Amino acid sequence: MNSKDFPANVRAYLNEVSAIAAATDENDIAAVAEILLAAYKNGKKVFTAGNGGSSATASHMVNDLTKGCAVLGRNGFKAICLSDSSTLVTCLANDFCYEDAYKIQLRTLGEKGDVLCVFTGSGNSENILRACEYARENGITVVGFLGRDGGKTLPLCDAAVVAKTDCMEQIEDIHMITEHALATVLRERLTDDWGLEVIFPPKGHNFKFALFDFDGTVSLIREGWQQIMIPYFCEEVAATPGGKDADPAEIEACVTEFVDRLTGKQTIYQCMALADEINKRGGKAEDPMVYKNEYIRRLMEKIKDRREGLRDGSIDPEELLVRGSVALLQGLLDAGIQLYCASGTDQPQVREEAALLGLDKYFGENIYGALDEHATACTKELVIKRLLEENGLDGSELLSFGDGFVEIELVSRLGGYPIAVATDEARKFGIDTWKRDRLVGAGAGAVIPDFEEAQKIVDFITK
């Protein structure tokens, strides 16, 4: 072969691999992903095994599952690569044949519910076949990454991806592409499928009351409020003598900091902070109520379609509830835990919106919001202290769910157990990692993306 032909031959090979990859059934890969995800959720192990060049892919898969699929400090999969190395074979040589090497390791380390992932081009390797047969007989799920027609291994697989080519190099290439696709989709799924992250357990607690924040915790009616408040406040700061020549990015960072820091308190606190910033920059601030009224006007304009849709029935309340809210509230009531709701939103509005969402049946009259005549009193702190004092309780009997720094810090300080609801409000599912990090820093004992696993949450706090 003339070296001038190399580029054309390389391109031909790449095109062939691309065509095989494009013809691979994504549903087969998705089926494997579901099996691996189930193993992860159930705390089961994933074993990988391969022969020759395929053993490198098997080892690579373990690295991707254990490290690549670790999300924000949570461990990845419990994954182990079975070895066919000469060292192992030498150790077994006196009593066992090479063909039993994988089977013996699986018998030693595996248990029912685990997963065995095998990589084999021919599908007829005896040590792979024996391991698969043992797995099937003992409740271990078998996943195959195969080549050609799948060989004798294919019928032993619960799910399989077959690279339909006779070229071993291309088979191994497709297996690696498939493995990388799996690791990518699993990592993305685990990011969104957060479940219950326990920072520290609720030891010594006997919960009798649960306090819920409203906006962003159970209700999504006001989703996007920050995108109304922050730009409006930035306008006011930029209009001051000290703000006219300031970097807009600096103003936005300043406003965002105090808006976020005060989230969980009544809205008036953020407006008071705005007034302070305006005075600090040489302006003459209005009464904070002026800023609050304008912010509320702008916000209500944004969300009026949501409120009207709930009122006339064109919007299902489920669309504007954090997932699993109703199931969790009912589960807590069934467990004998009394429910309270405290919000920084004005009380008439939060009670109206709770009724529109059908949440008043769970909280009854225990729904509290901000009252302008008590602008400097922290509603949530008053509600909590009232709960504790009127019922002769200590903080260890108080559970809370919220997405604001203030309430997490407050309940933690009083000896209660705060669970951070770090919902990505825009997508209505998954974790907002920025929220999660702030709330853990405020003292959250656990973090959830929503209440979809309501029964698991109830079991966690009542066990």
Side-chain angles (χ1 to χ4, degrees):
M1 180 186 295
N2 192 308
S3 60
K4 293 181 180 180
D5 297 328
F6 283 177
N9 291 333
V10 168
R11 174 48 53 195
Y13 179 88
L14 294 175
N15 288 342
E16 289 174 8
V17 172
S18 297
I20 298 166
T24 302
D25 191 337
E26 63 273 19
N27 293 312
D28 292 340
I29 301 175
V32 173
E34 291 295 342
I35 288 172
L36 294 176
L37 185 63
Y40 178 89
K41 288 185 172 182
N42 294 322
K44 298 300 182 180
K45 298 182 289 296
V46 176
F47 296 96
T48 66
N51 291 328
S54 293
S55 62
T57 310
S59 176
H60 191 92
M61 183 178 193
V62 167
N63 183 71
D64 283 349
L65 291 179
T66 56
K67 297 180 181 178
C69 289
V71 183
L72 273 178
R74 293 187 301 162
N75 293 329
F77 286 74
K78 298 176 182 177
I80 301 169
C81 183
L82 302 181
S83 174
D84 67 345
S85 67
S86 57
T87 301
L88 175 67
V89 174
T90 300
C91 292
L92 298 173
N94 291 332
D95 299 304
F96 305 104
C97 63
Y98 166 74
E99 286 76 11
D100 282 326
Y102 289 148
K103 174 182 174 181
I104 292 166
Q105 293 172 82
L106 201 60
R107 187 173 65 196
T108 303
L109 302 172
E111 60 183 12
K112 185 176 180 180
D114 288 341
V115 178
L116 171 65
C117 297
V118 296
F119 294 82
T120 169
S122 69
N124 297 316
S125 302
E126 190 63 29
N127 57 352
I128 295 289
L129 289 171
R130 294 188 188 185
C132 292
E133 289 167 353
Y134 174 83
R136 293 294 294 251
E137 292 168 1
N138 290 275
I140 297 174
T141 303
V142 178
V143 169
F145 297 85
L146 315 174
R148 300 172 185 168
D149 62 359
K152 297 178 183 178
T153 304
L154 183 58
L156 297 173
C157 294
D158 296 282
V161 179
V162 181
K164 296 180 179 179
T165 174
D166 291 329
C167 174
M168 190 58 67
E169 288 81 5
Q170 290 178 347
I171 291 172
E172 292 173 0
D173 287 340
I174 297 302
H175 287 172
M176 186 64 80
I177 291 171
T178 300
E179 187 277 314
H180 281 160
L182 278 168
T184 299
V185 300
L186 286 169
R187 182 169 58 250
E188 291 174 353
R189 177 68 176 275
L190 290 173
T191 299
D192 288 332
D193 194 12
W194 189 269
L196 175 67
E197 179 192 13
V198 180
I199 308 302
F200 57 87
K203 292 182 179 179
H205 289 269
N206 179 25
F207 300 116
K208 295 183 180 178
F209 294 86
L211 180 69
F212 282 79
D213 176 41
F214 187 69
D215 295 309
T217 297
V218 290
S219 170
L220 297 175
I221 292 176
R222 298 183 176 225
E223 180 274 315
W225 65 267
Q226 296 95 330
Q227 284 69 55
I228 301 297
M229 179 180 281
I230 292 173
Y232 165 49
F233 283 9
C234 286
E235 290 174 18
E236 294 293 334
V237 173
T240 64
K244 288 180 179 178
D245 297 324
D247 182 350
E250 181 272 324
I251 292 176
E252 183 178 5
C254 170
V255 170
T256 300
E257 188 281 325
F258 71 72
V259 167
D260 290 337
R261 173 168 45 83
L262 296 170
T263 295
K265 283 194 170 187
Q266 299 97 307
T267 305
I268 194 66
Y269 275 92
Q270 290 152 324
C271 298
M272 291 163 64
L274 170 62
D276 288 342
E277 192 62 34
I278 289 172
N279 289 331
K280 188 189 303 181
R281 293 176 186 253
K284 185 177 181 180
E286 302 278 1
D287 185 291
M289 280 300 302
V290 172
Y291 302 122
K292 177 180 175 180
N293 290 336
E294 174 59 17
Y295 158 69
I296 293 297
R297 186 195 67 77
R298 296 187 184 199
L299 177 62
M300 297 306 285
E301 181 65 26
K302 173 183 171 64
I303 67 173
K304 68 179 181 180
D305 290 343
R306 300 174 189 174
R307 288 164 57 92
E308 290 172 4
L310 288 168
R311 193 173 287 112
D312 65 23
S314 61
I315 295 179
D316 186 335
E318 194 69 28
E319 295 179 31
L320 292 174
L321 283 169
V322 171
R323 293 194 303 176
S325 295
V326 168
L328 179 66
L329 294 173
Q330 187 61 58
L332 292 173
L333 285 176
D334 292 344
I337 296 175
Q338 192 169 344
L339 306 179
Y340 282 74
C341 177
S343 173
T345 299
D346 286 353
Q347 184 160 298
Q349 294 171 342
V350 72
R351 289 192 169 185
E352 178 189 10
E353 291 175 13
L356 288 173
L357 292 170
L359 297 180
D360 51 339
K361 65 179 289 188
Y362 301 100
F363 293 107
E365 293 299 312
N366 300 329
I367 299 175
Y368 300 90
L371 300 172
D372 289 341
E373 61 266 33
H374 300 304
T376 58
C378 178
T379 301
K380 291 182 182 176
E381 187 165 6
L382 289 175
V383 171
I384 291 173
K385 289 182 176 178
R386 174 183 165 188
L387 276 175
L388 300 181
E389 291 171 4
E390 291 185 358
N391 294 280
L393 307 173
D394 62 37
S396 66
E397 294 168 297
L398 176 65
L399 173 70
S400 76
F401 295 87
D403 71 335
F405 190 96
V406 171
E407 63 255 33
I408 296 292
E409 185 178 50
L410 177 60
V411 172
S412 178
R413 190 172 72 243
L414 292 172
Y417 190 76
I419 295 181
V421 187
T423 308
D424 186 326
E425 295 180 42
R427 295 189 302 157
K428 298 184 175 65
F429 68 89
I431 281 281
D432 181 326
T433 54
W434 179 84
K435 266 191 192 179
R436 179 261 178 199
D437 292 345
R438 284 185 75 250
L439 300 180
V440 169
V447 181
I448 53 177
D450 49 44
F451 309 119
E452 190 172 33
E453 295 186 346
Q455 190 56 53
K456 182 176 180 180
I457 297 168
V458 173
D459 292 343
F460 171 70
I461 58 98
T462 58
K463 65 182 179 180

